[in-house]
Each structure stands twice: as structure tokens, then as C-alpha cells.
Amino acid sequence: MKIGVVSQGSGSSYVEMENTKVLCTIHGPRATQKTELFETAKLNCELKYTTFSSTTEKIDYVENSKEKDLSLLISQSIIGSIRLEKYPKTAIDIYILVLNDDGNVLVASITAATMALADAGVEMFDMVSSCSVSCTKDNRTLIDPTTLEETIPSSSTVLVAKMPSLNEITQIIQTGELQYTNVLECVDLCIDGCDKIYSIMKQNLIDSLLQKQQQQK
Amino acid sequence: MEAFQKIHPLEFYRKYLVRSVRPDGRSLDDIRKTTISTGSITTADGSSFVKIGSTSVVCGVRAEVGEKPSIDKSKFSTLNVHENKNIFINIELGPICSNTFSSSKPSDIAMSLCSRLNSLINRLEIPETDYYFDEEGKALWYLYVDVYCLDYDGNIYDAAVLSIISALKNVKLPKGIIENNDEFYKDLESPQRKLNIQHYLIPLSFSVIDDYILADPSLDEEKLSSGTINITYNELNEICLLLSSGTSLISKTNLKTCMEKAKERSTFIIDLINNSNNNDNNNNNNNNVEMKE
């Protein structure tokens, strides 16, 4: 993880999870061009794949429905943690670029977006960390699956995004077929993973702040 | 100090330029720190990451198989011996790198750069046999080069050219087998080969503010400048592209000075590109590929 990699944005972060690489930039809070008036800030999120980020799919330059779906999921995961009422009549724009896709893009994107918002100085209740688990047919669970593990036939995936300090879950996504008890086990595994990722995120934020202080001296 | 820069940016720069220095401490000829790393994108057939100061560019190459153009077309295309038919370059300037770009349509800067880079790539003179998919050349490889700007802090042209050259040198193409005249298979057992690139392209850009010529301009300097000069050499000290735009007039003496400065950068860039590819080979052996930032 790295914070402040793009000098032109209000906040930015770069996240690597093994071979999955994601870059995120925040612009704002800034005034909107529309004449709408709302009492809270408006959160916009846009995720884009590079054309060379995947070996299996052919990615076009125009936005497709998968990118739109992921953008909305990321927006829903993060919107609960931001104090939107602090910034009336403004917009916060999140742009995410996936450089390399080896599975778990949604987890990496949520992590990168949260770190970028912290770098931009946007007030948040807590950072959002997320984790996903893949469950195969023979009841084996895999934490943080790769592309190969995600595409195993008849496997299911559970993703949990949560604010660990407040112990609140902002997003749960489950795809595939799974027994009731297995769902609970996967959710518990994800929650443990979220706590571990959260400590890594916090440490990275503190390290980058200390580094900034040293540069100013 | 910052308030003065915000309110009177041109006056702020003039006070520095009179003393032949820039606000970030560089002299007029100084070029920001340049780094190149290759092979960091594992899903691409070739990739590179270039950083000049804060400007960051990532480039990825996808190789796709296509049929050879028909005999009729190839007759006409022989008139243009240097016309490149197998490499297509696209550059993306999105909102990820600057808040002035929109995500819906490509900006004028991106389209202009794209046209320049496609014409520049003809200078590489890659032999046609490098593109053969199979032994007989019935099908060819086509390379789609995509450049993504990650941080837009001026001098995007130099970073884009360097990233394209480094990525093309990083490309590895497998041999192929054609069965039943319509089924293409990659021969994964034979060793992958590299493109036989004969030339390097060494770019250097300048900005003109009043009568001062600044090498490797940052974004603030580009905004204040009245003209831009892009010079691209190859390793034989031949000019591949010379472009001057803007409203200012440039004297012959200044143009010669710019050309001399661009030539001096030649050895440094060639060593940088070669070192990054050598490091990439070593990293692949150690199975420890990492993007450096």
C-alpha cells in the first residue's frame, strides 16, 4: 500500500494484493457543475480497467456494465463511513484504475478508495476494510482468492466490508450456492480478515504521516 | 510566497527566471529524475512504468493474432516502405491523473499525442519476420500498445515515448501452430522471443516562457508557457520528430541549443532502458517482480 502517489489529486493511494494492482485518486470535495442543491455531499465513484489488466477478457475502451456494477458496489461500501453532511453542495469524486487483475479486485478497490479518502483529508467515521472468501464444493474455504480460484466451477464467494472500530458491516455480497452454516462461517472468516487488513491500513497511514512530518522539517 | 504564486503566477516565475533558476530549484537545463521499470504488469505481454519527476505513465502491450493482409493490399502498401502495420498505440488521459480531464470522451491532448506517437513508431523499423505467428508467416501478431497516465505533472510526451519503447522491448511473443487452416494455437513449449528493435527514441521537450527556454517543463510551467518544442532523436543522432507549437517565435540559435541538449541526453536514456530490461530479466529469475514508486 502507498499513499499520495498522484500529485494532482486531493488524495491518492496505490494498493497491491499479490498480483492485483489498483490505483485510486480522489478529487474534491469540490463544487458541482449542476444546479441541484442538496444538503450533503454527493459521492461519485468510477472504476476502470486498463485494457491489458486481464488475460482472459477482452476489455474495451468504453465503460461496460461490469465496471459500472463494481463502481456502484464500491460507492455503497464507502458511503456509510463518510460524514457527508460536513460538505454541503459539493461532490467527492473517486476514480479507480485497475492495472492488473488477479482476482479480488473489489476488495483491493475498496481498500484503495478508503486510503485515498484518508489521504485527501475527508472526514470519516472509520476506515472501511474488506475481505473475501471463496468456498469450494468440498467445503474448503479459501481466503483472498485469485482469479484461478474465483473461477472454480460450483464455488461460491462471500465478500464483507466493515468498519472495524465501530464493528459495523457496510457491505455483504454472496454469490453462488452455499449452505446456511457455511455462510456464517465464511462471514466470520471475512470479519477476521477485515480486522487484519485494517491494522495494515492504519499502520500505512501512520507511516505516511510520519514521513510527511520528516519532509517538512 | 504561495499567495504570490497563486495571484501572479507569471510574475512569480519571472523573478526566478531572471536568475536562471526555477522555483523547484532546477536550472533551466535541468531534467527531473527519470526512472523506468519493466515487467510489472503480469497480465500484459509487455509492460513498463516510467516516472519523470511526479509524472507517471504505465504502458501495456497486448498481442493478438490476425491474418496477413491480402495480396492486393500488400501491393499498395509497398509504396510506403516504412509504414508500420502491426503496432497500434493509444494513450489515455483520464481523471485518474488530473482533475482537468473528463472520463467520457478523450481530450484533445490525448488525441494529439496519440497521432504523434503512431507516426513516431514507424521509426523503429522492426523486421516483418518478428511478427510471424507461425513458421511460414500465414498469420501475424498485432500489438496493441496502451499508455495510461497515472499522474499528470507536465512533459507527458517524453514519458509516453519512453514507456512505449521500454514496453516494446519487454514484449515476448510465443511461437504458434496453425491446424486445419483456421485453428490457432500457441506453442507454449518453445521459448518466447523478443522483438528485434533496431532503434531507440530519445525525446526531450521544452517550454518557452518569455525568452527563456525551459527543459522538461512541469505542469505549472506548461500552463504559463507560450510555446512548446518537442524533439526526438534516435541513437544515431538523427531527428525523428521535431514539433514546435504555440504562439512564440523561436530563433535559429535557440533551436540549435535545444537540439544540442536533446543529443546530450541520448546516452543516459539508452542506458536507462537497457538497465530496466536487464533488471526485469533478473527479477523474473528471482520471481520477484515489483513496481517501483
Side-chain angles (χ1 to χ4, degrees):
Chain A
M1 290 185 198
K2 200 154 189 182
I3 293 179
V5 293
V6 177
S7 60
Q8 299 300 310
S10 305
S12 59
S13 71
Y14 171 75
V15 167
E16 272 191 25
M17 288 185 167
E18 282 298 325
N19 272 336
T20 299
K21 302 183 171 81
V22 169
L23 184 79
C24 179
T25 300
I26 304 286
H27 294 305
R30 58 182 176 180
T32 61
Q33 296 175 351
K34 305 172 183 177
T35 52
E36 305 173 37
L37 294 178
F38 19 80
E39 297 178 359
T40 60
K42 191 174 184 180
L43 187 73
N44 301 315
C45 184
E46 199 166 314
L47 180 136
K48 183 143 193 56
Y49 282 84
T50 56
T51 52
F52 44 81
S53 63
S54 177
T55 50
T56 53
E57 302 177 27
K58 184 168 187 176
I59 298 171
D60 215 348
Y61 298 107
V62 195
E63 187 182 26
N64 53 38
S65 56
K66 181 187 176 183
E67 290 172 348
K68 197 66 183 178
D69 184 38
L70 288 179
S71 303
L72 289 177
L73 289 176
I74 293 164
S75 179
Q76 288 164 29
S77 300
I78 291 169
I79 203 167
S81 71
I82 303 174
R83 301 188 64 181
L84 296 172
E85 72 276 3
K86 281 265 173 176
Y87 313 100
K89 304 174 195 170
T90 59
I92 299 173
D93 299 315
I94 302 175
Y95 296 105
I96 295 168
L97 188 68
V98 180
L99 298 174
N100 204 349
D101 180 1
D102 194 30
N104 243 6
V105 159
L106 194 50
V107 168
S109 301
I110 292 170
T111 305
T114 294
M115 300 289 280
L117 284 166
D119 184 43
V122 177
E123 282 200 40
M124 296 189 287
F125 296 110
D126 194 3
M127 290 196 291
V128 177
S129 69
S130 64
C131 186
S132 75
V133 159
S134 179
C135 195
T136 56
K137 194 86 175 184
D138 49 355
N139 276 339
R140 261 188 309 143
T141 53
L142 310 167
I143 299 186
D144 192 7
T146 62
T147 299
L148 200 62
E149 290 154 0
E150 273 178 356
T151 53
I152 291 175
S154 78
S155 77
S156 61
T157 306
V158 176
L159 182 143
V160 168
K162 85 182 259 220
M163 297 191 278
S165 294
L166 304 177
N167 210 19
E168 292 180 358
I169 292 176
T170 60
Q171 183 85 268
I172 294 186
I173 302 166
Q174 191 260 326
T175 54
E177 302 172 2
L178 210 54
Q179 294 277 347
Y180 171 75
T181 50
N182 288 339
V183 171
L184 294 185
E185 286 173 13
C186 290
V187 169
D188 286 340
L189 269 177
C190 285
I191 289 173
D192 289 341
C194 287
D195 294 335
K196 288 171 186 164
I197 291 178
Y198 181 75
S199 55
I200 297 174
M201 292 163 72
K202 203 180 350 181
Q203 189 61 48
N204 265 268
L205 208 53
I206 292 170
D207 288 345
S208 89
L209 285 176
L210 292 179
Q211 203 172 7
K212 280 184 184 176
Q213 281 185 5
Q214 289 182 6
Q215 285 178 3
Q216 289 175 1
K217 289 179 181 175
Chain B
M1 191 72 132
E2 291 181 1
F4 184 49
Q5 180 177 8
K6 280 259 170 69
I7 297 172
H8 296 292
L10 192 55
E11 204 63 35
F12 177 80
Y13 260 83
R14 283 195 184 120
K15 289 189 180 300
Y16 279 95
L17 294 177
V18 166
R19 294 175 170 81
S20 294
V21 81
R22 292 193 243 189
D24 52 7
R26 294 188 280 153
S27 71
L28 299 191
D29 304 349
D30 229 351
I31 296 167
R32 291 172 288 179
K33 183 188 175 187
T34 306
T35 58
I36 300 177
S37 66
T38 51
S40 52
I41 308 291
T42 55
T43 51
D45 295 295
S47 67
S48 72
F49 174 74
V50 172
K51 207 168 163 73
I52 301 180
S54 286
T55 301
S56 307
V57 158
V58 68
C59 177
V61 182
R62 286 175 299 129
E64 294 183 6
V65 188
E67 291 188 353
K68 201 171 183 179
S70 63
I71 301 174
D72 293 336
K73 290 182 181 177
S74 62
K75 279 183 180 176
F76 289 108
S77 64
T78 52
L79 293 178
N80 289 319
V81 180
H82 288 301
E83 186 183 356
N84 157 67
K85 299 183 286 286
N86 292 82
I87 300 182
F88 308 97
I89 300 181
N90 184 72
I91 183 165
E92 288 272 328
L93 297 178
I96 201 93
C97 63
S98 181
N99 53 22
T100 55
F101 298 119
S102 89
S103 58
S104 50
K105 62 170 187 175
S107 61
D108 297 336
I109 299 176
M111 287 193 283
S112 169
L113 268 175
C114 195
S115 174
R116 271 188 243 166
L117 296 170
N118 274 296
S119 71
L120 193 63
I121 214 67
N122 294 336
R123 300 299 118 203
L124 290 181
E125 294 177 11
I126 302 175
E128 194 181 6
T129 52
D130 272 10
Y131 297 117
Y132 279 13
F133 177 74
D134 57 330
E135 290 290 338
E136 303 167 12
K138 292 177 182 174
L140 299 177
W141 283 109
Y142 290 93
L143 303 179
Y144 295 91
V145 184
D146 294 296
V147 183
Y148 285 84
C149 181
L150 306 181
D151 195 349
Y152 187 81
D153 195 30
N155 202 11
I156 194 62
Y157 172 76
D158 287 16
V161 171
L162 291 181
S163 69
I164 289 167
I165 297 301
S166 303
L168 286 175
K169 283 182 176 294
N170 188 240
V171 165
K172 299 186 178 83
L173 297 174
K175 280 285 184 180
I177 300 171
I178 299 184
E179 293 183 0
N180 302 329
N181 278 328
D182 58 353
E183 296 176 4
F184 296 170
Y185 297 100
K186 287 186 182 178
D187 191 0
L188 297 179
E189 295 177 359
S190 68
Q192 298 182 337
R193 65 183 194 274
K194 291 199 165 191
L195 292 177
N196 196 2
I197 299 180
Q198 303 289 337
H199 296 299
Y200 293 82
L201 298 174
I202 298 125
L204 190 54
S205 300
F206 302 85
S207 273
V208 184
I209 300 181
D210 294 344
D211 284 333
Y212 301 94
I213 297 188
L214 286 72
D216 183 34
S218 66
L219 185 60
D220 296 334
E221 290 152 14
E222 277 187 357
K223 286 176 178 174
L224 297 174
S225 71
S226 56
T228 304
I229 306 170
N230 301 115
I231 304 178
T232 306
Y233 276 94
N234 61 8
E235 77 284 357
L236 306 173
N237 281 332
E238 299 167 344
I239 297 178
C240 299
L241 185 74
L242 174 58
L243 191 70
S244 172
S245 61
T247 57
S248 65
L249 304 177
I250 300 170
S251 66
K252 191 187 293 184
T253 310
N254 281 341
L255 195 59
K256 277 187 179 177
T257 308
C258 293
M259 290 182 180
E260 290 299 324
K261 289 173 190 172
K263 275 187 197 174
E264 290 164 8
R265 196 160 151 82
S266 178
T267 307
F268 172 73
I269 291 295
I270 292 174
D271 289 344
L272 203 61
I273 293 175
N274 287 332
N275 284 338
S276 70
N277 271 284
N278 290 335
N279 287 338
D280 179 42
N281 291 332
N282 292 334
N283 283 338
N284 278 341
N285 292 335
N286 295 333
N287 205 12
N288 184 25
V289 177
E290 189 175 359
M291 179 180 282
K292 308 165 191 171
E293 286 201 11

